[in-house]
Amino acid sequence: MRRIPFAFLLLALPALAQRPPAPPEGQLLQPGMREGYVVDSSNGCWAWMSGMRPSTTDLRYTWTGRCPEGRAEGAGRSTLTWREGGVEKQMIHEGTLERGKAVGRGTLAHMEDGEAVVLESGEFADDMLVQGRIEVPRSGLVYEGAVTRGQPNGRGRLVVQGRAFEGDWRLGCLQVAPDTWLAFGRPAESCRTQDL
């Protein structure tokens, strides 16, 4: 009987390890869906992504952390790359994922053709920034404060071209005078016409 060297067995063990289970049926992000799980093809780990448009193509995902039961778990770097209207886009999250969703302190960069278009940093919960900083480098906008679904909501401060506006925001709207609204992440007209 031929013996297999011990060193060979140690090298072969990782190759024998099972891949994590697949995401739940029907929850894998597909073209046309706005949200769902994406899978890192190199290691089988999966995480939750949202905000995709129907025109999304060429979706690729990578995760550098652990995934003990399939979902990305713990500290790491999560990168989602896709194409939309001929433009390559990316979301790069560095921080902690819990059950495939961003939680705790972290950063999220939204990129277009290699350029940062929105930078988020602060406290995340259920895969969304809830308190921290949102910067839009192209326009020089910087918001710091409470956030709900990507919009200022609660106490916060917006700096626009050196001018600061501070107060209690409601779903992306800040009333700066009796008939004047400042909006972030939505049209200013909608602040006047909708019951906030």
Side-chain angles (χ1 to χ4, degrees):
M1 181 168 150
R2 184 172 173 215
R3 291 189 163 192
I4 299 172
F6 181 71
F8 176 79
L9 286 174
L10 287 178
L11 291 173
L13 282 177
L16 298 175
Q18 286 189 341
R19 289 178 68 78
E25 181 91 24
Q27 292 188 21
L28 184 64
L29 185 63
Q30 302 289 329
M33 293 175 64
R34 290 197 50 80
E35 60 187 19
Y37 286 104
V38 291
V39 179
D40 182 333
S41 62
S42 69
N43 59 22
C45 294
W46 35 284
W48 186 257
M49 291 296 158
S50 60
M52 298 292 104
R53 294 202 169 120
S55 58
T56 297
T57 62
D58 304 325
L59 198 63
R60 296 179 316 281
Y61 175 70
T62 61
W63 165 246
T64 63
R66 303 177 312 110
C67 54
E69 295 175 9
R71 289 184 183 96
E73 201 64 49
R77 180 183 171 108
S78 185
T79 305
L80 181 68
T81 305
W82 72 97
R83 294 196 72 75
E84 188 178 302
V87 176
E88 182 176 274
K89 297 189 175 191
Q90 278 188 319
M91 284 193 290
I92 303 166
H93 175 267
E94 294 191 52
T96 302
L97 295 187
E98 188 175 281
R99 299 183 56 77
K101 294 184 176 183
V103 296
R105 302 285 308 161
T107 62
L108 177 62
H110 302 261
M111 313 287 287
E112 286 185 5
D113 284 335
E115 180 185 357
V117 292
V118 177
L119 301 169
E120 301 178 31
S121 61
E123 196 69 27
F124 288 78
D126 196 29
D127 216 40
M128 303 289 282
L129 182 69
V130 293
Q131 180 73 35
R133 176 185 172 99
I134 301 173
E135 181 180 350
V136 184
R138 290 178 182 169
S139 60
L141 297 173
V142 176
Y143 171 79
E144 293 178 314
V147 180
T148 300
R149 299 193 95 35
Q151 296 179 323
N153 194 39
R155 194 78 187 155
R157 180 175 192 255
L158 177 69
V159 177
V160 183
Q161 299 174 350
R163 288 189 63 198
F165 301 90
E166 191 167 354
D168 292 316
W169 292 76
R170 294 187 66 201
L171 301 173
C173 298
L174 177 67
Q175 191 165 12
V176 293
D179 219 13
T180 307
W181 293 86
L182 185 63
F184 185 96
R186 64 185 289 173
E189 304 80 49
S190 68
C191 295
R192 288 186 201 92
T193 60
Q194 291 187 6
D195 182 24
L196 299 174

